Amino acid sequence: MAGYPAYPTVLLGDVHGNRTVYLRALTALGLTDETGRWVGGRRRVVQVGDMVDRGPEPLATLDFFMRLQSEARAAGGEVVCLLGNHELYALKAAAGDHEARIGWTYNGAGADLLEWAARRAEAGRGGEAQGGADADAGAVGGPVDPNVMPYPEPFYAEFGPDGRYGPWLRSLPVAWQVGDYVAVHAGWTPDGPASVAEANGLRAEDPAVYGLLWARRQPEADIAAACERLGCRGLIAGHSVQSGIKRSCGGRLIQIDVGMFHHGTWAAVGLDEDGAPWALVEGAEPVAITGDGEVPVPRREPEGVAAAVPTAPLYGPGAVVRVYEAADGSYRQYMTIDGFGEMMGHPAYVGKLVTCTDGVWSTWPSTYFCQRVDQFARPADPNCIPEM
Ligand SMILES: [Mn+2]
């Protein structure tokens, strides 16, 4: 097909460390060249959060957006990156929040840790006489293990106030007005702020921001009330993976997270000169988004992580795996595997999560990607879990 029209505003969903597929989208849409330099002139890109975790290059993704933002600004354009719940995990983890560190680990921070450690190793091999880096490398004490909590403090510090990413992440807005729409990571709950300006004036940890970063499957009445309160035609949000660009709630909600980080086909929404939304899917003609429904996105094999994906699940029913544990043993998490199912169209283990916090055991049902469990979890002795 010929190139895509130059939509003045383009919105893209969650990246999760897959810079490659994102760059392909921005290049196809005429916003960057193939090396990632901004060529979008005065156009605008809105990235709705969740840049980090899971994929092969979460830190390079942050570097990419930080650079692209300043290049776009210099050209009179704009790159808006919203705060997602995964970036909030990073900020809270850097501040020493133990619950956030656990949640972040379980939600893909291992990918960030591994990229960070690989960079450390690379810098070390370069033989650069960087006293600070050498001292830090010594503090890390050898290879990192994404299954052992807590991670090295110098890793968390990258997301703190003196780190490479902390100040930028802390500066990100949680919502942005784009024409008649409001872009936000997840949704807008009834206890949320009364305006975009109010939302961006709050600290990201404020309880009123929580629903904007975490909401899922909101009732239509809540979406309608939020639009009324914000004076907008609709919300454009990521966070919950859909099988396509999805419009619902009588046009008041457009969901744009199609899980492109995982399956590798990009999709986006363009707002044309009249502010009307179009579904843009890699390799397909633009489709005007006029009624409720879904413009499907074809799936393909995961990219980047493919080498780490085994052809068959490693574990069978009855197996127990260690998901992670605190270095001091105060916290451990296991998954007991009962069988197989699917999650977002991918094979998943079905079973239970079992945790032990300071000697207190608890358990709840869980379904999780076979790929992620196989990559990060380790076999455990089934007898390590007491009868509950
Ligand atoms: Mn999210």
Side-chain angles (χ1 to χ4, degrees):
M1 61 169 288
Y4 293 87
Y7 297 95
T9 299
V10 171
L11 300 103
L12 289 128
D14 309 34
V15 193
H16 284 308
N18 195 332
R19 184 177 56 146
T20 306
V21 67
Y22 229 77
L23 184 55
R24 227 173 45 239
L26 293 170
T27 305
L29 294 168
L31 293 156
T32 63
D33 66 17
E34 285 176 3
T35 69
R37 298 282 152 189
W38 178 258
V39 294
R42 304 179 63 82
R43 296 167 66 193
R44 173 169 58 179
V45 169
V46 180
Q47 194 288 315
V48 299
D50 281 5
M51 291 170 274
V52 296
D53 300 346
R54 299 200 165 123
E57 295 184 292
L59 303 185
T61 296
L62 294 179
D63 293 326
F64 171 68
F65 278 109
M66 289 161 75
R67 176 178 55 72
L68 196 65
Q69 202 168 56
S70 51
E71 285 179 11
R73 196 179 296 126
E78 188 173 49
V79 172
V80 178
C81 297
L82 299 182
L83 193 79
N85 58 304
H86 286 256
E87 284 81 27
L88 182 57
Y89 273 137
L91 290 172
K92 293 171 82 168
D97 182 324
H98 183 62
E99 288 300 313
R101 287 182 174 191
I102 292 170
W104 194 25
T105 302
Y106 186 57
N107 282 284
D112 310 53
L113 176 72
L114 293 173
E115 189 184 15
W116 175 82
R119 286 178 167 191
R120 279 300 166 108
E122 188 62 36
R125 272 194 296 278
E128 294 169 54
Q130 293 175 342
D134 289 347
D136 286 345
V140 170
V144 294
D145 182 347
N147 298 291
V148 176
M149 283 261 300
Y151 292 171
E153 290 300 331
F155 165 76
Y156 290 123
E158 298 278 17
F159 305 91
D162 301 319
R164 177 167 174 157
Y165 304 112
W168 185 70
L169 292 176
R170 179 60 71 183
S171 79
L172 298 181
V174 293
W176 204 254
Q177 184 89 35
V178 273
D180 296 335
Y181 293 89
V182 168
V184 63
H185 181 61
W188 210 289
T189 42
D191 58 353
S195 69
V196 169
E198 184 184 321
N200 290 330
L202 296 169
R203 271 179 68 80
E205 293 86 347
D206 194 291
V209 174
Y210 186 86
L212 279 58
L213 301 188
W214 289 95
R216 292 193 200 274
R217 290 181 286 277
Q218 284 193 261
E220 184 166 342
D222 284 7
I223 297 292
C227 292
E228 175 106 354
R229 199 145 43 109
L230 298 169
C232 67
R233 182 185 294 179
L235 302 177
I236 301 179
H239 185 56
S240 292
V241 176
Q242 310 295 321
S243 50
I245 297 291
K246 185 179 176 186
R247 183 183 192 259
S248 60
C249 302
R252 292 193 187 89
L253 180 62
I254 299 176
Q255 289 174 282
I256 64 172
D257 180 5
V258 298
M260 68 176 111
F261 66 94
H262 195 67
H263 65 72
T265 304
W266 64 259
V269 163
L271 298 182
D272 66 19
E273 286 75 7
D274 300 323
W278 292 75
L280 313 174
V281 177
E282 183 169 23
E285 297 292 336
V287 177
I289 303 176
T290 50
D292 282 5
E294 194 168 72
V295 178
V297 175
R299 268 40 187 159
R300 46 176 162 186
E301 288 304 305
E303 291 182 17
V305 291
V309 182
T311 51
L314 287 180
Y315 304 103
V320 174
V321 297
R322 188 197 71 184
V323 180
Y324 53 79
E325 65 183 23
D328 65 1
S330 62
Y331 187 88
R332 282 175 282 162
Q333 186 172 81
Y334 303 91
M335 183 172 184
T336 61
I337 294 166
D338 299 329
F340 303 101
E342 67 94 33
M343 192 172 159
M344 300 178 194
H346 295 279
Y349 291 118
V350 177
K352 290 177 220 39
L353 277 181
V354 183
T355 64
C356 178
T357 306
D358 293 327
V360 179
W361 292 82
S362 55
T363 181
W364 63 95
S366 174
T367 299
Y368 215 62
F369 296 121
C370 292
Q371 174 213 332
R372 290 277 317 287
V373 173
D374 290 352
Q375 193 176 359
F376 287 116
R378 297 290 176 270
D381 177 1
N383 296 321
C384 68
I385 298 174
E387 290 291 331
M388 279 182 279

